[in-house]
Amino acid sequence: LVAKMSRPEHIAPPEEFYNKEEAAKYATNSRMREIQTSLTERALELLSLPSEDCFVLDVGCGSGLSGECLTESGHQWIGCDISNDMLMVAKEQEVEGDVVLNDMGQGLPFRPGSFDGCISISAIQWLCNADRSDANPYRRLLTFFTSLYRSLVRGGRAVLQWYPENTQQMELVTSCAMRCGFSGGLLVDYPNSTRAKKYFLVIYAGQREGHKH
């Protein structure tokens, strides 16, 4: 079972939860910055990009903390997020990447094969929520993964760190990714620790020419 914690997605939709006050914490709270940075560094390690200077998509980029890690690793990036307040913080911080207002559950607005890889830190659990009566988590997940697959180069990898609420949610998200053509699966760091346990969905959009995963 997944450890219980306070879950922002039970409080309000993301565009409301991540308001100006919440967004400001990501610019000023050193503990929050430290956690986001360490999660991003691990995601980048798992992404194992073929070289420096890759073009990476950051889904749920928020205030741009994960983007800063991408920049420091020598990569170009574009971030998307549903919270305008979080993106305003990213712009105030003068992050290197471009940021786009986007609801990932309605699909990613990028051309096919645009990105060498994708990271996402603490975001995809929001897709499992039905915030409105017309919101269908299964459909939103399929729309997201279909557009993500299309946005990646052939053989491109995505590493999505997230906080699944229970085993059913893990199965739902993983099966939707596979249904959209991805291979791969769930990787768990520190599986025996309640506090330190971290979940990463590590998935591949086909296979790079001449490479095996």
Side-chain angles (χ1 to χ4, degrees), residues 14-16 18-20 23 62-63 80-92 99-102:
E15 63 273 29
E16 292 173 22
Y18 292 106
N19 55 23
K20 280 183 184 162
S63 64
C80 58
D81 202 279
I82 198 171
S83 165
N84 199 43
D85 287 318
M86 290 290 262
L87 295 179
M88 289 306 291
V89 171
K91 288 172 184 168
E92 283 161 17
V99 293
V100 179
L101 187 65
N102 168 256

Side-chain angles (χ1 to χ4, degrees), residues 1 8 20-21 55 70-71 79 84 97-98 107 114 127 138 146 154 156-157 164-165 168 175-176 185 192 209:
L1 286 173
K20 280 183 184 162
E21 188 182 324
F55 194 34
L70 288 168
T71 299
N84 199 43
D98 290 322
S114 293
L127 288 169
Y138 179 68
T146 300
R154 180 154 174 76
R157 185 182 297 201
E165 190 167 358
Q168 289 88 345
S175 66
C176 283
N192 299 319
E209 293 302 316

Side-chain angles (χ1 to χ4, degrees), residues 47-133:
L47 199 59
S48 59
L49 289 161
S51 63
E52 273 195 13
D53 197 24
C54 287
F55 194 34
V56 182
L57 173 62
D58 183 0
V59 174
C61 66
S63 64
L65 288 176
S66 39
E68 285 175 21
C69 293
L70 288 168
T71 299
E72 282 165 19
S73 300
H75 303 301
Q76 306 289 317
W77 59 278
I78 287 182
C80 58
D81 202 279
I82 198 171
S83 165
N84 199 43
D85 287 318
M86 290 290 262
L87 295 179
M88 289 306 291
V89 171
K91 288 172 184 168
E92 283 161 17
Q93 303 277 323
E94 297 183 342
V95 296
E96 295 283 330
D98 290 322
V99 293
V100 179
L101 187 65
N102 168 256
D103 174 2
M104 59 182 159
Q106 292 185 6
L108 301 166
F110 305 109
R111 290 179 184 162
S114 293
F115 299 99
D116 299 304
C118 167
I119 62 164
S120 179
I121 307 300
S122 316
I124 63 168
Q125 66 266 14
W126 289 95
L127 288 169
C128 300
N129 253 36
D131 296 318
R132 303 179 309 275
S133 57

